[in-house]
Amino acid sequence: MSSPQATLPDDQPEHRYNAALADRIETAWQDRWDADGTYETPNPVGPLSEGFAEVADAKKLFVMDMFPYPSGAGLHVGHPLGYIATDVFARYKRMTGFNVLHTMGYDAYGLPAEQHAVATGQHPLINTEANIATMRRQLRRLGLGHDPRRSVSTTDREFLEFTQRIFLRIFNSWYDPTAVNRLGGPGRARPISELLESYRTGGRRSADGRPWAELSEQEQRSLIDAQRLVYVADVPVNWCPGLGTIVANEEVTADGRSDRGNFPVFKRNMRQWLMRITAYADRLVDDLDLVSWPEPVRLMQRNWIGRSVGARVRFTTAAGDIEVFTTRPDTLFGATFMVLSPEHPMVDALTAESQKSAVDAYRSAAASKTDIDRQDEGRAKTGVALGASATNPVNGEQIPIWIADYVLMGYGTGAIMAVPSGDQRDFEFARQFGLPIVATIAPPQAWFDTQGVEPSLDTAAWKQAYTGDGPVVQSQNTTLVLDGMNKAEAVAATITWLQQHGHGAATVQTKLRDWLFSRQRYWGEPFPIVYDDYGPVALPDAMLPVDLPETDQFAPRSFDANDSASEPERPLDRLAEWKHVTLDLGDGSGARALVRETNVMPQWAGSCTYYLRYIDPTHVESLSVEENQRYWMGENGVDLYVGGVEHAVLHLLYSRFWHKVLFDLEEVHTPEPFGRLFNQGYIQAPAFTDQRGIYVEASEVTEHGGQFMHDGQPVKREFGKIGKSLKNMVSPDEMYQAYGADTLRLYEMSMGPLEQSKPWDTRAVSGSLRLLQRIWRVVVDETSGEVRVTDAQPTTPDLRALHSTIAGVRDSMDALRLNTPIARITELTNHLTSTYPAGAPSVLAEPLVLMVAPFAPHLAEELWMRLGHTQSLVREPFPILDPSMLVSDTVAVPVQINGKLRTVLTVAAGSTGAQLEAAALADERVSSALVGRTIKKVVVVPGKMVNLVVG
RNA sequence: GCCCGGGUGGCGAAAUGGCAGACGCAGCGGACUCAAAAUCCGCCGCCGCAAGGCGUGCCGGUUCAAGUCCGGCCCCGGGCACCA
């Protein structure tokens, strides 16, 4: 693509606003802002409280960006989109009287730094700190108004201590579903000491009913540990011996191998740390009503948690009870068979001798199938009968038990009752294998009509299952009569009956699973946990932080790639002196030999609660100072949180979970961390592929007559997310050099709606530079450098232009519609430059400068100073709208005939409907169009429009 | 297949149900200049000499009036994978 004009001709006016001048202005103002502490925001109390008295009456505003991972590649122009938007918003809010907290941190634990360390043998901290320094430089050059004192990294020692401290709060808690929480709803986390006390005093007993005192120490510890919000359990994971770590589903290829290294991956159970996020499933769903977030994100979280209300039903078999989960207990009389997942633990016990070989074959076929294979199978149902039956609790019928891979072990109980008349998958399965289909809900006439089928309860003619509502039929026994009820009534009646007869109970099922919290890596937060003979023990807060020990071996131990039984050996396992310690935990046991936990926390840990660090960045004695936290979090938490939609589920769900635990423990005081969320779009850029389909460096591609060429060869243009992988990076550094930071800021904000993805076009940046040049010329003479504003009085059209701009800008800022205010500012600028080519009245130039300040702060500060002000404009009041200035003597009123525009009348403001109608009819273009036609109706909206309906 | 977005000039985009295309990029014409750059002035949806007609993915509907509301479909982007 064409490269930006880095230099401009030599003979341009000496004081023209160009890249070189912008660079001088921007650098100077950045230095002055730093020196003056312009963006330092005071806390109510503590070390950062200086100056708070001056803003004590202002409203607070806490603005946050999703903090970045400090990548080695530095920034590209896609990164700052959200950062500029929050900065524009924060600057606008400062100018409208808010005390604004805005800073930026770094989410610096993570895999790329570890892999770099493995490759180079250099400690990841060295590389991480260098990357942070680069990003800080690039962001500072952008002129972001961040409080530098609050800029933290998750790897800072104080931050590490903070993260470990929160971990211990969660570890030392359990979830009491019967307790009333601070919002008055059911369920809250309570200190583990209260659970212990309840056992000690006899309020609770072990599962087998023995009192606390009769339990062994091991039994006591296990009983408590099993109920913590952080616990150890065997869970199915993707174990990759070749890498020596567990890998995520998305890192496993379709043929069951690791993304990196292409090693085999084995699904097996392994002891892992988990966080009990499922305890909060209901509140995580319900409290989405408390936040103003984009509806799609709330929907994604609801779907991810996947709450469905239904019942558990027990079916008896010769080998014991099988429990199923169903959302449709009302259709129980239509359950004509049962399907287990191939991995269900009771399959072996239920399989008849005659079916053994078929079942084994099906099971191994299902196990070896990849997701891709299953997908290719399309809709055809497969399965094998076990040769056993179960008793349907409502009618005593013996129904056959099958296994099929459409039933998943990971959801519900891994077993379903199949109701083919009311579930399409069960219907297809029944048709495939000739199983009975019994209708229990009578479909309406309309349904049969759309099917083209004669209405009948004889399902032989049905083409598909009926999943809708309708009167229940064929559903009664001696103690339960559902016939005639609707769906909701029948669900309730069935659940009551199941409970009374001991066959089941109402339950809520979620898709959400507990959060796997341990990683077999080096570059993460160590757990503040040691083990004694009975299990894990929390370190006391006074022993925090647990620092990462020094080493130069950062990779986990890898094993023979096929050794599926191998056990992970983590980097910290090799550090025997660190791992084996003698400590006095202060619990009365004295100094004793203990073993440290050698897993580390996942990268999510650091991003869960970093907003609390921004509030009190140096504080370590507790999570934060309550007065500061209550001030900044207010009623609704962070006032604006901006980031990419890719974090819609995981980060935001984990963060909400931790916050809710801390809320229950009265460490924080809002039910939700982020009151308002905004997702910015991506910046996309052209990317080019050669004839082999390989990406080529986009900056080296040239265009000749509509044909894109690279290295003499034609290449194909695509569009994609800007970045390294598509070789279409555009660095902000290039933009600073060619245009200046203010132009880059203005361009990114003017590209289009913030939430939309949009293509980068370096050529179009010049339009933003030209606007800033015109604003510059409103104030400064390009040749002499003299300030050229005048004392002239503004005219009525001037004031109308000014105030319509004020109205347009103010209207859009709160909603983060940041592209249209720039258009309004452009209009005002064009009005001033064409009306006053030799210098505009200062009463117009000053508000123009103030309005552009959030977008182009350096330029605005410079002009403000040249206009004679000695104070920074950062806290100068934003121009205020005088609505009377928008009132005009005349208005333009469109006249339509049959809805089509015919003319526009200029009439006196406040004309009545009758006057408008008369004026319209008197218009020549209207009357000529009306020749030979009759007016049937006249619609007049006074001040707005006239529409003549003619025959 | 399901869920979530989105389809408006050559391009990025504006538009509380009330003048479609504000503002900008690119382009075209003119002024200034020896020339160019910069700047300034003007043009710039499509068809048509014009009058006028047609235009917001497609087909219908509601309305005096639809880019906007309703129903159905098509295409593009993102997410999920038989969730009982």
Side-chain angles (χ1 to χ4, degrees):
Chain A
M1 299 306 295
S2 59
S3 62
Q5 292 291 311
T7 52
L8 291 160
D10 300 331
D11 59 344
Q12 62 175 270
E14 192 183 339
H15 298 278
R16 169 160 298 168
Y17 182 81
N18 56 26
L21 179 57
D23 184 70
R24 289 200 297 279
I25 291 173
E26 289 168 3
T27 310
W29 277 98
Q30 284 156 14
D31 291 344
R32 179 165 162 193
W33 289 332
D34 273 355
D36 292 353
T38 302
Y39 303 110
E40 292 180 4
T41 302
N43 274 350
V45 297
L48 303 186
S49 63
E50 192 189 328
F52 185 75
E54 287 130 64
V55 294
D57 294 335
K59 282 187 279 184
K60 69 91 185 180
L61 189 83
F62 190 176
V63 180
M64 270 180 47
D65 303 272
M66 289 186 188
F67 65 170
Y69 176 77
S71 142
L75 293 184
H76 54 69
V77 293
H79 277 112
L81 183 68
Y83 307 157
I84 297 169
T86 50
D87 190 52
V88 170
F89 183 74
R91 286 175 183 277
Y92 171 71
K93 288 300 204 179
R94 271 190 207 101
M95 295 175 79
T96 52
F98 286 80
N99 186 30
V100 178
L101 174 51
H102 192 204
T103 189
M104 179 63 83
Y106 298 90
D107 190 15
Y109 284 114
L111 207 48
E114 179 166 303
Q115 282 165 350
H116 186 263
V118 169
T120 62
Q122 187 187 54
H123 196 280
L125 187 60
I126 295 169
N127 193 248
T128 298
E129 290 189 334
N131 292 347
I132 290 175
T134 299
M135 287 181 74
R136 281 214 170 103
R137 177 185 59 75
Q138 288 180 309
L139 291 177
R140 180 180 184 274
R141 188 62 191 79
L142 201 52
L144 300 174
H146 293 160
D147 185 341
R149 305 168 306 168
R150 299 175 189 261
S151 177
V152 293
S153 165
T154 54
T155 51
D156 294 342
R157 198 150 185 267
E158 297 80 12
F159 200 114
L160 172 65
E161 176 168 350
F162 167 83
T163 305
Q164 290 173 338
R165 195 180 281 265
I166 292 179
F167 174 89
L168 290 177
R169 293 287 180 283
I170 304 171
F171 178 81
N172 284 321
S173 304
W174 61 294
Y175 199 77
D176 182 352
T178 65
V180 175
N181 62 47
R182 295 166 78 187
L183 294 180
R188 70 174 294 181
R190 297 174 59 189
I192 201 79
S193 55
E194 295 179 12
L195 182 66
L196 200 57
E197 193 56 25
S198 171
Y199 279 110
R200 282 209 185 104
T201 57
R204 278 167 200 270
R205 295 189 166 215
S206 67
D208 57 13
R210 283 182 293 157
W212 182 254
E214 288 177 25
L215 302 179
S216 70
E217 186 162 0
Q218 178 68 68
E219 286 172 324
Q220 289 178 344
R221 286 275 296 274
S222 301
L223 186 59
I224 297 295
D225 287 346
Q227 297 180 67
R228 293 179 186 272
L229 283 178
V230 190
Y231 64 99
V232 176
D234 272 320
V235 289
V237 296
N238 303 310
W239 171 237
C240 180
L243 292 171
T245 65
I246 290 163
V247 291
N249 280 335
E250 67 167 26
E251 296 176 283
V252 183
T253 61
D255 53 351
R257 301 179 77 87
S258 63
D259 227 352
R260 282 177 302 123
N262 195 31
F263 298 113
V265 173
F266 300 93
K267 195 113 197 158
R268 53 166 278 208
N269 283 338
M270 200 173 270
R271 304 273 300 162
Q272 294 292 321
W273 283 94
L274 297 160
M275 283 211 176
R276 205 180 302 278
I277 190 172
T278 52
Y280 282 84
D282 279 343
R283 289 165 64 186
L284 288 168
V285 172
D286 294 341
D287 290 356
L288 287 170
D289 295 337
L290 304 180
V291 293
S292 54
W293 284 17
E295 193 50 38
V297 176
R298 294 200 288 188
L299 201 62
M300 277 190 264
Q301 292 221 343
R302 282 197 198 98
N303 291 343
W304 185 267
I305 296 167
R307 176 165 66 177
S308 40
V309 177
R312 291 197 173 221
V313 184
R314 265 186 301 282
F315 288 67
T316 54
T317 76
D321 287 353
I322 299 177
E323 204 168 53
V324 304
F325 171 74
T326 177
T327 54
R328 298 293 307 275
D330 56 309
T331 62
L332 198 42
F333 285 93
T336 52
F337 59 102
M338 186 172 218
V339 186
L340 307 187
S341 148
E343 299 84 19
H344 195 282
M346 286 179 66
V347 170
D348 281 330
L350 286 165
T351 304
E353 200 53 41
S354 61
Q355 293 299 98
K356 271 222 151 39
S357 59
V359 167
D360 284 347
Y362 188 78
R363 280 207 289 187
S364 58
S368 68
K369 265 183 209 161
T370 67
D371 291 349
I372 301 282
D373 289 339
R374 290 192 186 191
Q375 184 179 338
D376 285 348
E377 266 185 282
R379 326 212 87 221
K381 291 280 176 285
T382 62
V384 177
L386 297 182
S389 64
T391 307
N392 185 332
V394 289
N395 56 17
E397 279 183 24
Q398 294 298 301
I399 60 174
I401 306 174
W402 288 63
I403 57 172
D405 60 9
Y406 78 92
V407 176
L408 308 175
M409 199 57 223
Y411 181 74
T413 62
I416 62 161
M417 63 179 217
V419 183
S421 61
D423 181 284
Q424 185 58 25
R425 287 156 307 163
D426 297 347
F427 184 89
E428 288 167 21
F429 194 86
R431 278 284 155 85
Q432 175 82 27
F433 295 105
L435 294 158
I437 303 174
V438 175
T440 62
I441 288 194
Q445 178 74 41
W447 182 76
F448 288 107
D449 290 347
T450 61
Q451 306 281 307
V453 171
E454 280 301 305
S456 166
L457 291 180
D458 178 5
T459 58
W462 289 19
K463 290 179 177 164
Q464 54 178 255
Y466 176 67
T467 55
D469 206 345
V472 176
V473 294
Q474 309 189 86
S475 298
Q476 51 182 299
N477 63 30
T478 53
T479 51
L480 175 66
V481 180
L482 303 179
D483 288 353
M485 291 182 177
N486 66 29
K487 185 167 144 183
E489 293 163 348
V491 167
T494 308
I495 289 174
T496 305
W497 185 89
L498 287 168
Q499 276 167 334
Q500 282 169 351
H501 292 78
H503 293 304
T507 187
V508 173
Q509 184 67 43
T510 61
K511 285 191 257 183
L512 184 68
R513 289 194 287 267
D514 277 341
W515 175 14
L516 200 157
F517 197 73
S518 41
R519 299 289 185 269
Q520 294 71 53
R521 306 194 192 286
Y522 176 74
W523 192 230
E525 298 90 344
F527 282 56
I529 292 285
V530 291
Y531 291 85
D532 65 10
D533 295 341
Y534 303 113
V537 182
L539 291 174
D541 282 0
M543 290 190 177
L544 302 183
V546 179
D547 291 307
L548 263 178
E550 287 296 324
T551 178
D552 56 4
Q553 299 295 310
F554 306 108
R557 177 180 166 195
S558 56
F559 297 87
D560 181 303
N562 292 305
D563 182 5
S564 64
S566 51
E567 287 294 325
E569 183 188 298
R570 307 148 198 100
L572 301 185
D573 278 320
R574 291 191 288 263
L575 305 167
E577 277 188 37
W578 178 84
K579 184 177 171 182
H580 298 278
V581 286
T582 300
L583 296 172
D584 182 349
L585 300 180
D587 56 359
S589 311
R592 53 189 171 134
L594 298 160
V595 180
R596 288 191 192 273
E597 170 63 49
T598 56
N599 279 295
V600 297
M601 300 187 200
Q603 195 181 354
W604 304 113
S607 59
C608 272
T609 40
Y610 65 110
Y611 47 93
L612 293 178
R613 282 318 281 170
Y614 286 165
I615 292 171
D616 272 307
T618 56
H619 184 76
V620 287
E621 291 77 21
S622 63
L623 300 187
S624 68
V625 177
E626 180 164 345
E627 192 171 345
N628 291 334
Q629 193 212 110
R630 283 192 185 269
Y631 176 78
W632 285 115
M633 295 297 280
E635 298 289 312
N636 301 312
V638 174
D639 297 285
L640 178 66
Y641 192 29
V642 175
V645 74
E646 69 271 21
H647 295 299
V649 177
L650 293 181
H651 159 61
L652 287 169
L653 201 62
Y654 294 149
S655 189
R656 294 179 63 219
F657 163 52
W658 277 29
H659 188 91
K660 286 182 180 304
V661 176
L662 296 177
F663 177 69
D664 286 349
L665 299 175
E666 306 198 15
E667 293 275 8
V668 299
H669 310 287
T670 62
E672 286 284 330
F674 310 116
R676 181 180 174 197
L677 176 75
F678 193 99
N679 297 121
Q680 93 272 16
Y682 298 116
I683 290 191
Q684 301 177 312
F688 300 89
T689 51
D690 63 18
Q691 275 137 331
R692 297 167 303 159
I694 310 287
Y695 284 101
V696 301
E697 188 55 47
S699 58
E700 296 165 4
V701 172
T702 53
E703 186 183 349
H704 304 287
Q707 173 71 55
F708 295 100
M709 305 292 287
H710 179 262
D711 214 7
Q713 298 295 314
V715 290
K716 200 174 127 215
R717 184 171 72 165
E718 302 172 358
F719 266 88
K721 191 176 158 186
I722 207 164
K724 243 176 23 172
S725 53
L726 302 189
K727 295 194 184 170
N728 61 356
M729 288 261 291
V730 179
S731 158
D733 296 342
E734 299 169 41
M735 294 296 116
Y736 301 150
Q737 228 233 312
Y739 299 100
D742 278 336
T743 296
L744 174 65
R745 293 169 57 106
L746 191 69
Y747 174 64
E748 292 215 4
M749 292 301 98
S750 68
M751 288 172 81
L754 185 61
E755 66 276 16
Q756 264 175 40
S757 291
K758 49 233 156 188
W760 180 261
D761 180 5
T762 296
R763 283 184 310 180
V765 180
S766 59
S768 298
L769 177 62
R770 287 205 278 258
L771 172 60
L772 295 184
Q773 286 176 328
R774 287 201 297 280
I775 293 174
W776 178 260
R777 276 200 301 273
V778 167
V779 178
V780 177
D781 185 289
E782 287 186 326
T783 311
S784 67
E786 298 288 310
V787 172
R788 61 202 296 233
V789 293
T790 68
D791 295 333
Q793 288 301 305
T795 64
T796 302
D798 289 345
L799 290 171
R800 184 165 305 130
L802 172 64
H803 284 272
S804 70
T805 298
I806 296 172
V809 172
R810 280 186 167 261
D811 263 4
S812 303
M813 293 294 246
D814 279 324
L816 287 172
R817 287 192 305 264
L818 303 179
N819 49 330
T820 51
I822 296 170
R824 300 289 86 78
I825 289 169
T826 307
E827 285 168 335
L828 178 61
T829 305
N830 292 349
H831 172 85
L832 292 181
T833 51
S834 60
T835 313
Y836 300 101
S842 66
V843 289
L844 299 171
E846 292 208 341
L848 172 66
V849 168
L850 291 173
M851 284 193 282
V852 82
F855 297 94
H858 314 87
L859 171 94
E861 289 272 32
E862 182 72 17
L863 293 177
W864 191 246
M865 185 188 73
R866 290 187 184 218
L867 284 164
H869 300 276
T870 52
Q871 294 281 309
S872 163
L873 54 57
V874 161
R875 288 176 181 79
E876 196 65 28
F878 202 81
I880 290 167
L881 174 67
D882 180 351
S884 69
M885 294 296 175
L886 300 180
V887 178
S888 164
D889 294 344
T890 58
V891 289
V893 174
V895 179
Q896 301 172 344
I897 294 178
N898 284 349
K900 275 188 191 157
L901 181 72
R902 285 297 145 179
T903 189
V904 179
L905 303 173
T906 302
V907 298
S911 296
T912 64
Q915 288 169 328
L916 274 179
E917 184 178 340
L921 293 172
D923 187 88
E924 199 209 319
R925 279 170 51 92
V926 172
S927 53
S928 67
L930 288 177
V931 170
R933 309 172 82 172
T934 55
I935 298 177
K936 297 208 302 210
K937 185 174 177 182
V938 179
V939 180
V940 183
V941 182
K944 276 284 191 187
M945 50 75 61
V946 177
N947 190 14
L948 304 170
V949 186
V950 303

